[in-house]
Amino acid sequence: MCVIKTCANNENKSAIKWNFIPVRIRLLAVAVGMLFIGCTLTSEVLAQTETAKTAFTTHYDPAAFPMTEMGQVAIGPLVPMLTASPHLFGDWGGIQPWLTNRGIFLNVTVNEEYMGNVTGGRQRANVAAGQVAGALDIDWQRLAGVPSFWTHMLVVNGHGSSLSNAIGDSITNPEEIYGARGNVVAHLVDMYADKGFLRDRIILSVGVIPTGSFFNQDYLACSFMNVSVCGNPAPSKYVPGGRDWPSGNLGAVLRVRPTLRTYIMGGIFAVSPHAYNGGISGWALGQDGLGKLSSQVEIGWSPSFGRHHLLGHYKIGYWYDNSRYPNLYADINGNSFQATGLPRRYESGMNAAWFLFNQMIHRSGDGLANGLIVIGGADYTQGSQVAMRDHEWIGLLQSGTPWGRPLDQVGAMFQYMEMGHTVTLQQESSLALGLPYLSNQWGAVYGIQSHENVWEAFYSIHVARGTAFQPDFQYLQRPGATTTFHDAAVIGFQFTTNL
């Protein structure tokens, strides 16, 4: 996702096996589950008028999305600089206030990037890429008196090329934008409606929805440019059951808020067997082969600690895709399909799980992200079917308030991405047989893959109203998760503005 920055086996199909998940993710799951249960049991359920802006309150302010900005807790989807944000051109000569007063939120953002590697990689390369995004969100309660009803549409136009392809690193991409969005004027990202019930404690969303606009999403992670963590983490966002931005999925999401600072969310999405959901343009909603489903669930807790209201967000989730996928190594008898020439083994169902968090540990001023924030998480997919098995990250973000630049932001992050044992077996078989390595979900393979580390640091400079310029440095250790190429040092910048 690209937005302007703020401060920003065939058995057991129906259930995940506990020993299926790595130990570190199991421990994280237990910890967050205990926190969530404790909060749910002890938190007072606030009065309904305190948890939503609805027709039942004495004063109604239009909102682009339901369940956002309630007690400074955002429950997806949140595109911070596409909603209620400053515009480079002000109020558009009075047009913006006229629209928002009627519940119409119209935003256009521009994102341009340039990046290149100064050392390492397959070759020296530099690329430019960019995107224009247009969003139309309507609060029909304000526009037409229809209570607790919203509609949304988001389209993008992209250009440019991928640095990772050029430098031989198909595992991660230092860019947020990495090429065209279907070579169409307006690639459809989402188009859906929300309906609120019980004074907006329950929200049902139906339509074309990128799964990561709701699930497995941390908008603060998009302060960083590296797309492996921006918005939604790899690897689960790169497989059909969790495919995200700019791909939308036909589906529905039900969000329930038991207390002000907790939520439970479930969703079901059609799984496209094609390379692109909705075709290359995103508008081909009647694709064939949409009979399989991805079922997703997430619980979250957003505490606020101490007299300085140190805000945190903790979420844990899981999805199951009931499609059939080939094992990356085995034939029907469990041997190398490359060696035997026998048909590949297909497995029923794919699993994914995640844990995400961000926690302010020191407040510098008012606002959601005005202070020092620790951000991190883990994402896991089924290694027998997906080349990247797991991904962990940890980082720090700090607003510029301490040095008199409150709208600036500085950050640093470390990412670790580990490939699955099954894909390693496949690649060892290729090497032993003298065959070329097979490409996988991430692209071309240049050697036996094991893991890759990414270090990133940036400074985002507020240069004008709704506009930021961000220099960025990244160091890629073991590009492509192999030792084939030297470590790559990448530098670049990003320019973003909300018109």
Side-chain angles (χ1 to χ4, degrees):
M1 179 181 291
C2 299
V3 297
I4 296 180
K5 304 297 179 289
T6 55
C7 299
N9 177 323
N10 295 330
E11 293 85 23
N12 299 328
K13 300 179 185 178
S14 62
I16 184 171
K17 292 184 179 180
W18 183 246
N19 59 9
F20 167 83
I21 301 177
V23 172
R24 53 181 173 270
I25 296 182
R26 283 187 249 164
L27 294 175
L28 289 171
V30 171
V32 176
M34 292 175 66
L35 288 172
F36 178 80
I37 293 170
C39 179
T40 302
L41 292 176
T42 60
S43 296
E44 178 185 357
V45 178
L46 301 183
Q48 291 172 338
T49 55
E50 293 178 304
T51 60
K53 300 174 181 177
T54 73
F56 303 100
T57 59
T58 57
H59 174 71
Y60 181 79
D61 294 323
F65 295 99
M67 283 194 178
T68 59
E69 300 177 0
M70 300 189 311
Q72 292 192 331
V73 178
I75 304 301
L78 182 64
V79 186
M81 296 302 284
L82 285 177
T83 57
S85 62
H87 296 263
L88 177 63
F89 298 128
D91 64 5
W92 297 4
I95 295 175
Q96 277 287 346
W98 188 92
L99 291 172
T100 56
N101 286 337
R102 287 156 178 80
I104 302 171
F105 296 82
L106 178 62
N107 290 273
V108 179
T109 66
V110 177
N111 180 304
E112 295 294 332
E113 300 175 355
Y114 174 83
M115 301 203 84
N117 62 314
V118 294
T119 62
R122 184 164 63 97
Q123 61 181 359
R124 293 280 294 276
N126 60 89
V127 301
Q131 175 179 275
V132 179
L136 176 63
D137 305 290
I138 300 177
D139 183 339
W140 288 91
Q141 180 167 313
R142 174 50 64 92
L143 181 64
V146 182
S148 299
F149 187 70
W150 295 260
T151 57
H152 314 278
M153 185 172 71
L154 176 62
V155 296
V156 296
N157 177 278
H159 66 86
S161 56
S162 167
L163 179 64
S164 64
N165 289 341
I167 67 176
D169 188 351
S170 59
I171 301 306
T172 190
N173 195 327
E175 306 161 278
E176 281 187 19
I177 305 295
Y178 48 92
R181 304 308 204 202
N183 295 317
V184 293
V185 173
H187 177 100
L188 179 65
V189 177
D190 68 42
M191 184 170 57
Y192 66 97
D194 300 314
K195 175 58 183 172
F197 304 91
L198 299 180
R199 301 188 180 184
D200 297 347
R201 285 185 175 277
I202 300 175
I203 303 292
L204 176 64
S205 304
V206 180
V208 181
I209 305 172
T211 64
S213 291
F214 290 87
F215 297 88
N216 198 11
Q217 196 259 11
D218 186 343
Y219 72 90
L220 285 178
C222 253
S223 299
F224 298 88
M225 288 182 64
N226 189 289
V227 78
S228 292
V229 75
C230 172
N232 318 98
S236 62
K237 70 176 178 180
Y238 291 134
V239 293
R243 193 177 288 158
D244 191 50
W245 179 290
S247 292
N249 308 265
L250 290 171
V253 179
L254 184 67
R255 291 170 280 169
V256 180
R257 187 189 289 276
T259 70
L260 177 63
R261 297 191 173 276
T262 60
Y263 70 88
I264 303 171
M265 183 163 58
I268 189 165
F269 301 91
V271 178
S272 174
H274 305 282
Y276 300 94
N277 292 8
I280 193 70
S281 70
W283 292 93
L285 305 181
Q287 284 184 309
D288 61 334
L290 297 180
K292 298 300 182 178
L293 299 172
S294 175
S295 304
Q296 309 200 10
V297 64
E298 182 177 285
I299 61 175
W301 175 42
S302 298
S304 180
F305 297 111
R307 61 187 180 90
H308 297 298
H309 305 291
L310 302 179
L311 183 64
H313 297 88
Y314 299 81
K315 55 186 69 177
I316 187 167
Y318 166 75
W319 61 249
Y320 176 79
D321 171 7
N322 67 355
S323 306
R324 288 172 58 83
Y325 294 100
N327 184 284
L328 295 176
Y329 168 78
D331 64 13
I332 55 176
N333 296 319
N335 302 310
S336 168
F337 72 87
Q338 297 177 96
T340 67
L342 294 175
R344 297 177 69 171
R345 171 187 292 174
Y346 273 73
E347 301 174 345
S348 296
M350 181 185 292
N351 300 273
W354 61 89
F355 166 68
L356 310 178
F357 78 93
N358 61 70
Q359 176 64 58
M360 184 178 289
I361 58 176
H362 176 78
R363 180 169 289 283
S364 302
D366 295 335
L368 292 175
N370 194 350
L372 179 62
I373 298 173
V374 181
I375 182 172
D379 191 78
Y380 174 79
T381 53
Q382 194 159 331
S384 62
Q385 302 166 3
V386 183
M388 185 190 296
R389 188 190 66 182
D390 61 86
H391 173 201
E392 294 77 38
W393 63 97
I394 189 73
L396 289 171
L397 292 167
Q398 170 65 57
S399 62
T401 302
W403 52 93
R405 298 279 302 178
L407 298 180
D408 288 4
Q409 188 182 50
V410 62
M413 177 176 281
F414 169 75
Q415 300 181 58
Y416 173 83
M417 286 160 274
E418 184 171 353
M419 310 303 285
H421 178 64
T422 307
V423 79
T424 301
L425 291 176
Q426 179 202 95
Q427 293 160 1
E428 290 174 343
S429 177
S430 297
L431 182 63
L433 295 168
L435 299 173
Y437 295 113
L438 299 176
S439 297
N440 53 49
Q441 293 100 332
W442 274 255
V445 176
Y446 297 95
I448 296 176
Q449 298 177 311
S450 60
H451 68 276
E452 179 171 352
N453 302 326
V454 177
W455 303 83
E456 180 176 2
F458 75 88
Y459 189 94
S460 178
I461 306 165
H462 177 257
V463 296
R465 183 170 48 198
T467 304
F469 176 78
Q470 177 174 314
D472 188 275
F473 172 79
Q474 297 179 46
Y475 191 76
L476 313 180
Q477 293 179 309
R478 302 173 57 90
T482 77
T483 57
T484 303
F485 308 123
H486 293 298
D487 295 352
V490 178
I491 58 173
F493 63 83
Q494 179 183 72
F495 172 83
T496 51
T497 186
N498 186 37
L499 302 181

